[in-house]
Amino acid sequence: MFDQLRFDYLSCAGHPTLQTPNIDRLARKGVRFTNAYTQSPVCGAARMSAYTGRYVSSHGAQWNGVPLKVGEPTLGDHMRAHGTGCWLIGKTHMRADKAGMARLGLTPDSVIGARQAECGFDIWCRDDGLWAEGPGGPYDNARSPYNEYLKSRGYGGDNPWADFANAAADDDIIASGWFMKNADRPANIREEDSETPWLTTQTIDFIAQAEGPWCAHLSYIKPHWPYIVPAPYHDMYGPADVVPATRDPCELSDPHPLYQAFTDTIIGRSFRRDDVRDKVIPAYMGLIRQCDDQMGRLFDWLEESGRMEDTMIILTSDHGDYLGDHWLGEKDLFHAPSVKVPLIICDPRESADPTRGTTCDALVESIDVTATIIDAAGATIPDHIVEGRSLVPYLGGQTPDDARDFVISEYDYSKHPVGTTLEAPPRDARLFMVADHDWKLVHCAAGYRPMLFDLRNDPDELRDLGADPACATARAQMYEKLHAWGLRMSQRLTVSEDEIRAQRAGGNDTGVLLGLVDGSEVAPDLVARYRGKVPRRP
Amino acid sequence: MFDQLRFDYLSCAGHPTLQTPNIDRLARKGVRFTNAYTQSPVCGAARMSAYTGRYVSSHGAQWNGVPLKVGEPTLGDHMRAHGTGCWLIGKTHMRADKAGMARLGLTPDSVIGARQAECGFDIWCRDDGLWAEGPGGPYDNARSPYNEYLKSRGYGGDNPWADFANAAADDDIIASGWFMKNADRPANIREEDSETPWLTTQTIDFIAQAEGPWCAHLSYIKPHWPYIVPAPYHDMYGPADVVPATRDPCELSDPHPLYQAFTDTIIGRSFRRDDVRDKVIPAYMGLIRQCDDQMGRLFDWLEESGRMEDTMIILTSDHGDYLGDHWLGEKDLFHAPSVKVPLIICDPRESADPTRGTTCDALVESIDVTATIIDAAGATIPDHIVEGRSLVPYLGGQTPDDARDFVISEYDYSKHPVGTTLEAPPRDARLFMVADHDWKLVHCAAGYRPMLFDLRNDPDELRDLGADPACATARAQMYEKLHAWGLRMSQRLTVSEDEIRAQRAGGNDTGVLLGLVDGSEVAPDLVARYRGKVPRRP
């Protein structure tokens, strides 16, 4: 899993100048899903969905920093129950539910407590990749293995992540990668010491020592900002490689108040500047190119070690990046650059031979990846817990019986500055996207009108038809899907569908037989059980 | 809390012949809510809602025997956090989430594990009150303190609950209370040894020894069936006291398939017989009269001991009982006899003086009782967890700001025989009731048409308008409420609304400042933090 990698910034996905030969090589061996949606266009919520296989409203960790509640079943739980370890190498954005853990007497120094604190993973290496510090202290209070690595490699200071890996040098002065004016400069670090190669090395080390079946979540921070990359990647691409922004002045005319608020942030204002895009996007492309090279290094090692033949590889991202499209930066809303994710699945088994090198335009979600992993491992998907649906049938060229006819994504802006701007009550600051091949509707729990896009006739999503009287039928159809989803069964986690069916078949033979008048309604031998001589009465 | 006590089987609620002078006495000292709805018309689900303050779809323990998932916060957690113990005396219908507890390393022999296994209560005495046995073994595998008590009192045999407390004697032969033909006979037990007096004694013992603030859940099994009661209550009422069934032949003409399936069960067929009603209802009334006498005993003791002055009393039930109304027995569906519950709240404090002896027709739910208890204890209601709303303002004669404009109840029939009859997929076998003062709509997740009742013009709910074209607007209005409820925020349990507001106010001062081009967007001293001399580079 990459972080903030757009679905369309791969050469196999049609980017005109960015070359990603190694990811393309994976795509040639597997299936590339062209309509894969994240459960939420923000790191924390998206990841908690990926790690639980459940919708954001179902697990409740709705934004960055919202702890995943204790006891929420995870991919790690399901895999370990099947005898497969589940390991983390890199980022999760997990925050432990300290209050919930304390209530249950769980501490992170026990195996059980550690897994609760780490969203179900065992830790090979956790590094969330944002080691910023401000007047209020560090963004992340955890230990940074990457900073320790840099120090062991001779980089000085307290925070070489900030001072070297994510900064250029302005002569002798730090030129931070947080300032996008520096995006075209090389990070002041040897390329082999930067984050992406370091995590790749960690991964090779993990696989080299692994015994028995394993599942590893290799989770890169890049190409997430700060947008700065070491040489030679910093100038592989330039302004000429920047594709024009997908945007139109009509989007800013009588805009939806929520959309307007997002365009009015510092981020939105910066990204509408072409000079900013011309600096940032080449750096972003350089970061992706570095990621691709590291994929190549990993794939080569897997081939040389024989592991490519018995390793299933799923390549995806947690969400995308607007990069100025729709007058926006970052993610947060539901236009394709933000809500769609790359998804390539390569299963080395013969069963997947029919589809190698193909694309699949079915509507799929990030939580489907979770279900796919469980299914591919040969375990039964606990579908009363995991809301994702296995993609394994697609790999064999089949359309699954439970193929989706719509996809859902959610966004909670209660902690986002836009929530403050709009004075939104926290519980109402929530958005729901429902999309199919034809329409995309965004519902606002705070009471704003919906947004609506006609994906067939306006594939670039430039015209919001949320208030167009001509589209009332489309809105009603999409709302019907959303409302059925809203009433889905998502919390009956303790009894499976099969267990319920079995209990039905068993009937009630434990003596509670309601509605009997005289026993003639049931078998005589059952009635006899309720009679007998009265025992001793005082 | 009583079990299966109808809202209208109290003399203060207008029953023409049943006398409940002690409950009436409580109503004269408090407020009687006339539109209180259970969260689910079935024991287990209703109780888990009462004990968590959360909707059935939110906690997921959707029917009897579905374990409440580990970690679900309970009333006990909230009260203990405020320094108030929370104790159980009687029934809960709780099933522990053994798999979830095992996953978290929790065992019932620890304090934390025991509370997880007992839906948050500390146990003074747990007795779920159904000690039936059949060919498949006992209905309840727990130890029965009540059976132990009976044995200590000299009642013989393995199961004096079944053989004495819930059976008559046919000369020397057991005449089980499970057969309703026996409902007019006296249970073969001394009245003072029957369940209701025994639990009342347990309660007095508890209160007598309690120190510091406490919350006690006194939870009677009665007047739940078996419909049999000891002398002198067995013949206090007779067929002349049976009010006519609220039913009409039109209900059985072209009925909704789900309603029809419930009327076609053994229970429905028995309860449409007047001879059955004439036997059962007097026994049911006798059980209630015994409950009322025990309330009198408890209230007298509270007055004599001075505890009446510092004890808040909330009297309610988990759901009602059709008793032949609408051609149905038991509960399960959403007509008033099943879904409405008695609710009387008596707060001894001066703040409640303005409303003593009054009724309140506001729309309230069982989960509101949970919130009321927390509020009345002086604690802050964690309203990101507890979905109930405090009724304390009503006690002071005020309408709360968050007064409900509709109520919700849910029913999961996936484990009910009707689920088998209708071959319902377990996840779809769910019903949702949404009601206000004017309309009651029942939505069927399995795809059947809704049911609709016009509460103003058809208060007895005899005409299902779910398919009536003239009521399309009413259906749409009620669906709008239900759909908004379906998208409610119910799982963001780890961060409160206030914490989110505080985090907004703090802003992001931990160094992640997105969207900056050159730093001119923020204060210079902040920018300076990102500069400085480059430390040693290898």
Side-chain angles (χ1 to χ4, degrees):
Chain A
M1 182 183 284
F2 295 97
D3 194 315
Q4 202 141 333
L5 174 61
R6 277 174 67 128
F7 78 102
D8 55 353
Y9 270 60
L10 302 173
S11 41
C12 59
H15 195 284
T17 61
L18 174 63
Q19 294 305 313
T20 52
N22 293 295
I23 294 174
D24 294 5
R25 171 178 155 196
L26 190 73
R28 282 195 302 275
K29 296 171 60 174
V31 176
R32 186 168 64 81
F33 290 84
T34 61
N35 279 308
Y37 287 77
T38 182
Q39 250 51 63
S40 183
V42 64
C43 298
R47 289 162 178 275
M48 296 309 115
S49 283
Y51 307 155
T52 60
R54 291 164 55 70
Y55 289 106
V56 173
S57 307
S58 300
H59 62 65
Q62 307 204 174
W63 210 67
N64 296 336
V66 176
L68 183 70
K69 59 178 182 275
V70 69
E72 190 73 10
T74 60
L75 176 64
D77 295 315
H78 305 309
M79 296 300 277
R80 282 189 295 271
H82 187 63
T84 301
C86 196
W87 293 84
L88 171 69
I89 306 159
K91 167 173 176 166
T92 61
H93 224 116
M94 171 70 179
R95 290 290 172 274
D97 175 9
K98 288 183 185 173
M101 287 179 62
R103 188 160 46 83
L104 297 184
L106 300 174
T107 53
D109 58 3
S110 67
V111 171
I112 288 173
R115 287 173 179 162
Q116 285 298 310
E118 299 287 1
C119 45
F121 291 106
D122 288 316
I123 305 301
W124 181 258
C125 167
R126 175 172 176 183
D127 192 293
D128 266 14
L130 281 179
W131 303 105
E133 298 174 68
Y139 175 77
D140 187 334
N141 284 305
R143 178 187 70 99
S144 165
Y146 178 59
N147 256 338
E148 290 182 19
Y149 166 78
L150 289 179
K151 290 174 190 174
S152 78
R153 297 282 289 169
Y155 294 89
D158 288 337
N159 190 346
W161 176 88
D163 297 345
F164 294 101
N166 289 281
D170 191 0
D171 290 330
D172 196 26
I173 302 298
I174 294 165
S176 172
W178 288 115
F179 303 115
M180 294 191 282
K181 69 174 181 178
N182 297 325
D184 59 350
R185 303 175 66 174
N188 184 21
I189 191 170
R190 286 189 298 260
E191 190 273 331
E192 65 266 30
D193 291 334
S194 60
E195 293 147 296
T196 302
W198 170 73
L199 267 180
T200 308
T201 302
Q202 293 277 331
T203 305
I204 292 171
D205 290 347
F206 167 80
I207 300 175
Q209 61 79 51
E211 295 177 3
W214 51 264
C215 171
H217 175 42
L218 166 56
S219 182
Y220 291 103
I221 180 68
K222 295 299 178 185
H224 191 283
W225 47 9
Y227 300 111
I228 192 163
V229 63
Y233 298 102
H234 74 292
D235 64 359
M236 276 190 185
Y237 302 97
D241 299 301
V242 174
V243 294
T246 302
R247 65 188 183 201
D248 190 286
C250 75
E251 295 180 276
L252 300 176
S253 159
D254 190 22
H256 189 287
L258 251 165
Y259 170 72
Q260 182 175 33
F262 276 97
T263 63
D264 277 351
T265 62
I266 290 178
I267 298 169
R269 289 195 299 272
S270 292
F271 270 98
R272 70 171 61 182
R273 287 167 52 176
D274 286 333
D275 63 319
V276 169
R277 296 184 74 247
D278 285 348
K279 281 221 178 185
V280 164
I281 292 177
Y284 180 75
M285 293 168 69
L287 285 164
I288 294 169
R289 181 63 182 265
Q290 185 187 26
C291 290
D292 185 80
D293 281 346
Q294 290 300 314
M295 288 290 96
R297 182 181 155 221
L298 177 61
F299 297 162
D300 289 348
W301 182 86
L302 287 170
E303 283 171 0
E304 287 157 18
S305 63
R307 291 284 70 80
M308 193 58 115
E309 291 164 31
D310 60 8
T311 302
M312 180 169 178
I313 300 174
I314 303 180
L315 185 147
T316 190
S317 178
D318 57 351
H319 53 73
D321 190 326
Y322 273 107
L323 294 174
D325 288 350
H326 306 286
W327 315 95
L328 292 164
E330 267 275 84
K331 46 266 183 181
D332 308 317
L333 290 179
F334 301 101
H335 300 88
S338 172
V339 76
K340 283 179 69 169
V341 289
L343 177 60
I344 300 169
I345 304 183
C346 176
D347 184 338
R349 291 172 289 199
E350 198 178 315
S351 55
D353 284 350
T355 58
R356 300 197 191 284
T358 65
T359 59
C360 174
D361 69 353
L363 296 166
V364 303
E365 299 180 345
S366 289
I367 56 175
D368 298 340
V369 172
T370 322
T372 302
I373 293 170
I374 297 169
D375 189 14
T380 300
I381 300 164
D383 67 0
H384 59 303
I385 301 173
V386 171
E387 297 179 286
R389 303 177 187 178
S390 174
L391 304 176
V392 167
Y394 289 119
L395 305 183
Q398 309 296 318
T399 299
D401 295 337
D402 59 354
R404 297 188 180 282
D405 57 1
F406 62 90
V407 287
I408 295 285
S409 191
E410 303 175 67
Y411 189 73
D412 182 330
Y413 58 97
S414 62
K415 291 175 67 177
H416 189 282
V418 159
T420 313
T421 308
L422 298 175
E423 298 179 351
R427 73 174 63 248
D428 296 336
R430 294 174 298 128
L431 307 175
F432 299 85
M433 180 209 81
V434 52
D436 58 18
H437 290 290
D438 297 323
W439 297 98
K440 177 183 288 182
L441 179 133
V442 178
H443 168 68
C444 310
Y448 302 110
R449 70 160 174 84
M451 308 179 204
L452 181 75
F453 298 97
D454 179 343
L455 301 182
R456 294 277 183 203
N457 299 304
D458 175 28
D460 287 337
E461 308 172 84
L462 297 171
R463 289 183 297 281
D464 176 1
L465 305 172
D468 187 338
C471 297
T473 302
R475 285 193 295 274
Q477 285 170 350
M478 298 311 284
Y479 263 121
E480 189 176 347
K481 297 173 196 280
L482 178 65
H483 290 147
W485 175 86
L487 294 173
R488 77 196 175 283
M489 197 199 65
S490 67
Q491 303 299 327
R492 193 175 66 197
L493 307 188
T494 55
V495 186
S496 72
E497 302 287 292
D498 283 348
E499 284 166 333
I500 288 174
R501 289 182 195 276
Q503 288 168 7
R504 281 179 181 176
N508 191 339
D509 60 351
T510 56
V512 175
L513 285 175
L514 304 183
L516 304 192
V517 177
D518 54 18
S520 64
E521 305 89 341
V522 293
D525 59 330
L526 195 57
V527 176
R529 298 184 63 93
Y530 292 87
R531 293 185 58 81
K533 200 162 174 301
V534 175
R536 183 172 51 82
R537 180 185 158 159
Chain B
M1 182 182 285
F2 294 96
D3 194 316
Q4 201 139 334
L5 175 60
R6 278 174 67 130
F7 78 102
D8 55 353
Y9 269 60
L10 302 172
S11 41
C12 60
H15 195 284
T17 60
L18 175 63
Q19 294 305 313
T20 52
N22 294 293
I23 295 174
D24 293 5
R25 171 178 156 196
L26 189 73
R28 282 195 302 274
K29 295 171 62 174
V31 176
R32 185 167 64 84
F33 291 84
T34 60
N35 279 307
Y37 287 77
T38 182
Q39 251 49 65
S40 183
V42 65
C43 299
R47 288 160 179 275
M48 296 309 115
S49 282
Y51 307 153
T52 60
R54 292 164 55 70
Y55 289 105
V56 174
S57 308
S58 299
H59 62 64
Q62 308 203 174
W63 209 68
N64 295 336
V66 176
L68 184 71
K69 59 177 184 273
V70 70
E72 191 73 10
T74 60
L75 175 64
D77 295 317
H78 306 310
M79 295 301 277
R80 282 190 295 272
H82 186 63
T84 301
C86 197
W87 293 84
L88 171 68
I89 306 160
K91 166 173 176 166
T92 62
H93 225 117
M94 171 71 179
R95 290 290 172 273
D97 175 10
K98 289 183 184 172
M101 287 179 63
R103 187 161 47 83
L104 297 184
L106 300 174
T107 53
D109 58 3
S110 67
V111 171
I112 288 172
R115 287 173 178 162
Q116 287 297 310
E118 298 287 0
C119 44
F121 292 105
D122 288 316
I123 304 301
W124 181 258
C125 167
R126 176 172 175 184
D127 191 294
D128 267 13
L130 280 179
W131 303 105
E133 298 176 68
Y139 176 76
D140 187 333
N141 284 304
R143 179 188 70 100
S144 164
Y146 179 58
N147 256 338
E148 290 181 19
Y149 165 77
L150 289 180
K151 291 175 190 173
S152 78
R153 297 282 287 169
Y155 295 89
D158 289 338
N159 190 346
W161 176 88
D163 297 345
F164 295 101
N166 289 281
D170 191 359
D171 290 329
D172 195 28
I173 302 298
I174 295 165
S176 173
W178 287 115
F179 302 116
M180 293 191 282
K181 69 173 180 177
N182 298 324
D184 58 350
R185 304 176 65 174
N188 184 22
I189 191 169
R190 285 189 300 260
E191 191 273 331
E192 66 266 30
D193 290 335
S194 61
E195 293 147 295
T196 302
W198 170 73
L199 267 179
T200 307
T201 302
Q202 294 278 330
T203 305
I204 292 172
D205 291 348
F206 169 80
I207 299 175
Q209 61 79 52
E211 295 177 3
W214 51 264
C215 171
H217 176 41
L218 165 56
S219 182
Y220 290 104
I221 179 67
K222 295 299 179 184
H224 191 284
W225 49 7
Y227 299 112
I228 191 161
V229 62
Y233 298 102
H234 74 292
D235 63 359
M236 276 191 186
Y237 302 97
D241 299 303
V242 174
V243 294
T246 302
R247 66 189 182 199
D248 190 287
C250 77
E251 294 180 277
L252 300 176
S253 158
D254 191 22
H256 190 287
L258 251 165
Y259 170 72
Q260 181 174 34
F262 276 97
T263 62
D264 277 350
T265 61
I266 288 178
I267 299 169
R269 289 195 299 271
S270 292
F271 271 96
R272 69 170 61 180
R273 287 167 53 175
D274 286 333
D275 62 320
V276 170
R277 295 185 74 245
D278 284 349
K279 281 219 178 189
V280 165
I281 292 177
Y284 180 74
M285 292 168 70
L287 286 164
I288 294 170
R289 180 64 182 264
Q290 185 188 25
C291 289
D292 185 79
D293 282 345
Q294 291 299 315
M295 287 291 95
R297 182 181 156 221
L298 177 62
F299 298 161
D300 289 347
W301 183 86
L302 287 170
E303 283 171 1
E304 287 157 19
S305 63
R307 292 284 73 78
M308 194 57 116
E309 291 164 31
D310 61 7
T311 302
M312 180 169 178
I313 300 175
I314 303 179
L315 185 147
T316 190
S317 177
D318 56 351
H319 53 72
D321 190 326
Y322 274 108
L323 294 175
D325 288 350
H326 306 287
W327 314 95
L328 292 165
E330 266 276 82
K331 45 267 184 182
D332 309 317
L333 290 179
F334 301 101
H335 300 87
S338 171
V339 77
K340 282 179 69 169
V341 289
L343 177 60
I344 300 169
I345 304 183
C346 176
D347 184 339
R349 290 173 290 199
E350 197 179 314
S351 55
D353 285 349
T355 58
R356 299 197 191 285
T358 64
T359 58
C360 174
D361 69 352
L363 296 165
V364 303
E365 300 180 343
S366 290
I367 57 176
D368 298 340
V369 172
T370 322
T372 302
I373 294 170
I374 297 168
D375 190 13
T380 301
I381 299 165
D383 67 359
H384 58 303
I385 300 173
V386 172
E387 297 178 287
R389 302 177 188 177
S390 174
L391 303 177
V392 167
Y394 288 118
L395 305 183
Q398 310 294 318
T399 299
D401 296 338
D402 59 354
R404 298 187 180 281
D405 57 1
F406 62 90
V407 286
I408 295 284
S409 190
E410 304 175 67
Y411 190 74
D412 181 330
Y413 58 98
S414 62
K415 291 175 68 178
H416 189 283
V418 158
T420 313
T421 308
L422 298 175
E423 297 179 353
R427 74 174 63 248
D428 295 336
R430 292 175 299 126
L431 307 175
F432 299 85
M433 180 210 80
V434 51
D436 57 19
H437 290 291
D438 297 323
W439 297 98
K440 179 184 289 181
L441 179 133
V442 178
H443 168 68
C444 310
Y448 302 110
R449 68 159 174 85
M451 307 178 205
L452 181 75
F453 298 97
D454 179 344
L455 302 182
R456 294 278 183 204
N457 299 303
D458 175 27
D460 286 337
E461 308 173 84
L462 297 172
R463 289 183 297 280
D464 176 1
L465 304 172
D468 186 338
C471 297
T473 302
R475 285 193 295 274
Q477 285 169 350
M478 298 310 284
Y479 263 121
E480 189 176 344
K481 298 173 197 281
L482 178 65
H483 291 148
W485 176 86
L487 294 173
R488 77 197 176 281
M489 197 198 65
S490 68
Q491 302 298 327
R492 195 176 66 197
L493 306 189
T494 55
V495 187
S496 73
E497 302 287 292
D498 284 348
E499 284 168 333
I500 288 174
R501 289 182 194 276
Q503 287 169 7
R504 281 179 181 175
N508 191 340
D509 61 349
T510 55
V512 174
L513 287 175
L514 304 182
L516 304 191
V517 177
D518 54 18
S520 63
E521 305 88 340
V522 292
D525 59 330
L526 194 57
V527 176
R529 299 184 63 94
Y530 293 85
R531 292 185 60 80
K533 198 163 177 302
V534 175
R536 181 173 52 84
R537 179 185 159 156

PDB file of all heavy atoms in Angstrom, chain A residues 117 135 313 443:
ATOM      1  N   ALA A 117      -3.420  -2.523  20.148  1.00  0.00           N
ATOM      2  CA  ALA A 117      -2.867  -1.179  19.946  1.00  0.00           C
ATOM      3  C   ALA A 117      -2.386  -0.968  18.517  1.00  0.00           C
ATOM      4  O   ALA A 117      -2.204   0.175  18.089  1.00  0.00           O
ATOM      5  CB  ALA A 117      -1.726  -0.946  20.927  1.00  0.00           C
ATOM      6  N   PRO A 135       5.240  23.915  17.495  1.00  0.00           N
ATOM      7  CA  PRO A 135       5.242  24.534  18.816  1.00  0.00           C
ATOM      8  C   PRO A 135       4.532  23.669  19.857  1.00  0.00           C
ATOM      9  O   PRO A 135       4.851  23.715  21.047  1.00  0.00           O
ATOM     10  CB  PRO A 135       4.474  25.846  18.609  1.00  0.00           C
ATOM     11  CG  PRO A 135       4.477  26.088  17.143  1.00  0.00           C
ATOM     12  CD  PRO A 135       4.618  24.767  16.477  1.00  0.00           C
ATOM     13  N   ILE A 313       0.551 -10.777  -4.596  1.00  0.00           N
ATOM     14  CA  ILE A 313       0.880  -9.374  -4.389  1.00  0.00           C
ATOM     15  C   ILE A 313      -0.332  -8.518  -4.725  1.00  0.00           C
ATOM     16  O   ILE A 313      -0.931  -8.652  -5.795  1.00  0.00           O
ATOM     17  CB  ILE A 313       2.087  -8.944  -5.257  1.00  0.00           C
ATOM     18  CG1 ILE A 313       3.317  -9.790  -4.900  1.00  0.00           C
ATOM     19  CG2 ILE A 313       2.369  -7.451  -5.076  1.00  0.00           C
ATOM     20  CD1 ILE A 313       4.512  -9.536  -5.790  1.00  0.00           C
ATOM     21  N   HIS A 443     -23.938  12.695  -0.267  1.00  0.00           N
ATOM     22  CA  HIS A 443     -24.944  13.119   0.719  1.00  0.00           C
ATOM     23  C   HIS A 443     -24.237  13.801   1.889  1.00  0.00           C
ATOM     24  O   HIS A 443     -23.202  13.338   2.357  1.00  0.00           O
ATOM     25  CB  HIS A 443     -25.718  11.911   1.220  1.00  0.00           C
ATOM     26  CG  HIS A 443     -26.568  12.204   2.426  1.00  0.00           C
ATOM     27  ND1 HIS A 443     -27.681  13.027   2.372  1.00  0.00           N
ATOM     28  CD2 HIS A 443     -26.467  11.804   3.724  1.00  0.00           C
ATOM     29  CE1 HIS A 443     -28.222  13.111   3.576  1.00  0.00           C
ATOM     30  NE2 HIS A 443     -27.506  12.376   4.419  1.00  0.00           N
TER      31      HIS A 443
END
